[in-house]
Amino acid sequence: MISTVHPEDKPALIAAIEDAIERRGPYAHQYRVRRTDGSYYWIEANGRVDAGPDGRAVSFPGVLLDIQERRRTETALRASEEFNRRILASSADCIKVFDLDGRLESMSEGGLSLMEVDDFTSIRGAYWPDFWQGDEKAKVVGAIDKARRGSTGRFRGFATTMKGSPRWWDVLVTPINDAEGRPEKLLSVSRDVTTMIEAEASLRETTRRLDAILNNTREAVFLMDHKQHCVYANAAAEKLTGYRFSELEGRPLHDVVHHKKPDGSHYLIEECPIDRAFPERAQMSDEELFVAPDGSFYPVAFTASPLVDDEGNPIGTVLEARDITEEKARDDELQEQTRTLETLNRTGAAIAAELDLERMVQTVTDAGVDLTGAQFGAFFYSMLHEASESFKLYTLSGANRAQFERFGMPRATPVFKPTFDGDGAVRSDDILVDPRYGKNAPHFGMPKGHLPVRSYLAVPVTSRSGKVIGGLLFGHSEPGIFNERHEKLMLGVAGQAAIAFDNANLYREAQLEIEQRRKAEEQQTLLINELNHRVKNTLAIVQSLAQQTFKTEVPTDVARGAFGARLNALAAAHDLLTRRNWEKASLSEIILSSVAATAGAASGRITCEGPDVILLPQTAVSLAMAIHELSTNAIKYGALSNDTGAVTVVWQISSGQGQPRILLEWKEVGGPPVAPPARKGFGARMIERGLAADLSGEVALDFAPTGLRCFIDAPLPEA
Amino acid sequence: MTKQASALILEDEPIVAFALEDMLFELGFEEVRLATTLEAAFDYLEARAPDVAVLDVNIRGQRSYGFAEKLSGSGVPFLFATGYGDAEHPEALRATPTLTKPYNQDELKAVLATLTDPQ
């Protein structure tokens, strides 16, 4: 029998038999036996060793059982249990088995590791709720209760590991039922969710912060998806656009707030710089005009940034936007202020340096137009034209002179008078409805075709002396153009202009005075030279007179008397010419003056008659000297030497052929009989040759016995 | 002096002219012609050239320089007698001897001597 036993099982079988013999009792042993076909099969030998009275084994009653099938089932079962154990071991969760009171019976390998248990025996049989602290304990007790009653207990709780590491656990407690379906044990699966809990907390914190930022920032923030459809808009975005997020959601933002241009034309999304950020994957910042729900426009500053995934692919756009209406207004205001200051500065510098009145006033007028935004401006002098009673236009800006002059100049009407009276600025938003306007004939307002003025601003330009120099007038065809600021600016400019006027006038006066002084000096030099010349000529004449008077054949006392008389005559002629500025003298004046100087009281007996004839100074001197000689002769020897004689001097102009001639006759009557002189002296020489030469004519002396006569026939002097 | 028999005076002031005429006679001139206008002076020159001429510069508002140049061209020696003491003659006439009015006979004689007897 032993020979068919599997060689591996033989030693054990023999040992079992020997053991049984030794013990004298039942035995059981399993081993493999070879069949006749060579295969082995499991049998179990159950028997008993019966001993004789001597204690020796005498028999082996027993049975052999074929246990092939049983052995196979047991092997399968063992394999299944092993598998289950491995499943448990492979789980990362902490899997535990408790009795129904919650006392720990076993724990999976993963569980030991998670809970950081070095020695399971130290916690075997421990009451599970004791592993938890505070409020968590109650959750555990509750879950145990639930499972004990056949349902599933679940909770999330916090507990430390055996080594004190903090952990969050997601715990599931289920009953393990017996064959009758009643809970026999409890199974707990605890999963470590610490990382998840922390991530959730972190996410919550991030979300809370983002919400805090997005809901409190005054910057409008929009989020657009890859189709540029709005998927988010914060509170500021709703406030900016005037739309609720629900009205924007899922729609292209461009279509809602950016669909048209100020000219009303459609704004293609392809042209829109905001939407370019997405396809071009680049951040865009600029200013645009958004459309309000009522269709009006408002300016915004925006930044559009592409939103990309981890691989850098664009998946949407973040748009920040801000209403910059006020900023723009402030910027505009600032620019306006800057421009104003620059203009003022430039104007001030220009007119301070400008001494040319016209250029200065032009600069001021141009600056006024620039500063007030007027369409045209003008400066009028305050002095009135006597005939038209209108103010005089001086400079214009923004219009040409013809446009003004066609309609005549402003007059002292209620609109204009305050300006030219220096009563401060006149400003009207619409002069057409101004109570001061349209009160005067003939136009009762602006003449037809006048430059169209609605807005009107005028300021006086008043000199330091208080005199109103003129007025700066500005106009615009739109009403409401000029404000208080413009008025103040122009009053300032007018002040500068007044100073410049005063300066320019002072300068002009100074220049004029310098020029006058220069001319006076030139004149003086000329006069001194001329005086020198005349004095020398006169001295030459006096010297010549002396030379001709003091001749050896003439007694000295006679000559002295004649010389004195001749000097007197010369002086009288000079007196007369001096009174006439050495320009010209009339014939009758020369004769009368010479006669008066020579004849004294007897001059009343000399009568003159003839038309007025003008003589050059030199001719006048020659004539005066000739008359002196004639008069002297008449007093000494002729008609004036007695008490009854008389002299007539008659002349006339003959206007025959050629140049007119003067015919003059000196005629003495009533004197003693006349005889020709024995010797011709200076007098005859002066009369017959000197005067003749000077007049370029003929002079004849006729010593007629009835009285001396002197004839002059000469071309009428061209004076 | 006797060689200079003929003199021409251009002087628009008759009183002065007569005095000059007397001086020239005193100095031995046999003929003295007196012109009080430029026109007359040209006429006299045209008729007959004098041996010497005495010219006032300002003749009724006109300068006698034109006539002076005519004299130069005709080879007639001449001098100026003028009241304009420091007046400058034109370039061509700058060297012309010039008497400043008033002058006396001795001064006239000295200047005439330089005309006829150049050094």
Side-chain angles (χ1 to χ4, degrees), chain A residues 604-661:
Chain A
R605 289 151 68 189
I606 303 177
T607 55
C608 293
E609 195 184 326
D612 205 22
V613 174
I614 300 300
L615 300 174
L616 289 172
Q618 190 187 313
T619 309
V621 171
S622 291
L623 182 66
M625 293 310 288
I627 295 293
H628 166 73
E629 293 303 323
L630 284 169
S631 302
T632 303
N633 185 68
I635 288 166
K636 274 181 162 174
Y637 315 107
L640 301 183
S641 63
N642 62 13
D643 295 335
T644 55
V647 180
T648 57
V649 187
V650 180
W651 66 93
Q652 60 191 40
I653 311 293
S654 82
S655 48
Q657 284 180 342
Q659 197 185 352
R661 296 184 78 82

Side-chain angles (χ1 to χ4, degrees), chain A residues 63-138:
Chain A
V63 292
L64 294 176
L65 295 172
D66 182 346
I67 59 164
Q68 181 65 29
E69 192 55 33
R70 203 176 88 197
R71 284 292 299 216
R72 199 157 38 238
T73 307
E74 280 174 359
T75 304
L77 184 60
R78 261 201 310 277
S80 173
E81 282 173 350
E82 172 63 17
F83 184 66
N84 284 341
R85 195 193 58 79
R86 286 213 307 274
I87 288 173
L88 288 179
S90 71
S91 170
D93 296 335
C94 176
I95 302 169
K96 300 169 287 284
V97 176
F98 300 96
D99 66 14
L100 292 177
D101 291 328
R103 296 195 182 276
L104 183 58
E105 291 191 349
S106 65
M107 187 180 277
S108 65
E109 284 173 37
L112 294 172
S113 165
L114 264 184
M115 282 298 292
E116 300 183 308
V117 178
D118 289 339
D119 176 15
F120 179 69
T121 56
S122 65
I123 56 169
R124 188 196 303 271
Y127 182 50
W128 190 30
D130 289 343
F131 288 91
W132 305 77
Q133 302 295 317
D135 294 345
E136 308 294 72
K137 222 182 262 280

Side-chain angles (χ1 to χ4, degrees), chain A residues 410-529:
Chain A
R411 296 173 301 144
T413 62
V415 170
F416 297 117
K417 194 167 180 296
T419 303
F420 296 98
D421 284 352
D423 290 341
V426 174
R427 177 162 59 91
S428 181
D429 279 343
D430 190 349
I431 196 73
L432 298 186
V433 297
D434 197 287
R436 293 167 287 203
Y437 177 76
K439 295 284 186 285
N440 292 77
H443 302 297
F444 297 100
M446 279 175 266
K448 209 167 144 70
H450 190 274
L451 284 169
V453 177
R454 298 290 294 275
S455 293
Y456 175 77
L457 173 63
V459 289
V461 176
T462 308
S463 165
R464 209 171 10 189
S465 66
K467 180 176 164 284
V468 181
I469 301 165
L472 283 161
L473 277 56
F474 300 95
H476 199 288
S477 61
E478 298 288 324
I481 294 294
F482 307 128
N483 57 31
E484 195 184 341
R485 196 174 132 260
H486 294 136
E487 184 179 316
K488 283 184 177 159
L489 274 175
M490 287 326 297
L491 284 169
V493 170
Q496 285 183 321
I499 293 168
F501 258 108
D502 287 347
N503 286 345
N505 277 331
L506 281 176
Y507 177 75
R508 200 167 55 172
E509 280 163 18
Q511 287 298 103
L512 213 62
E513 196 179 314
I514 290 167
E515 178 62 14
Q516 279 171 344
R517 223 177 269 178
R518 196 183 59 75
K519 278 189 177 158
E521 279 167 15
E522 271 181 17
Q523 190 69 21
Q524 196 174 25
T525 307
L526 275 176
L527 277 176
I528 288 169
N529 287 343

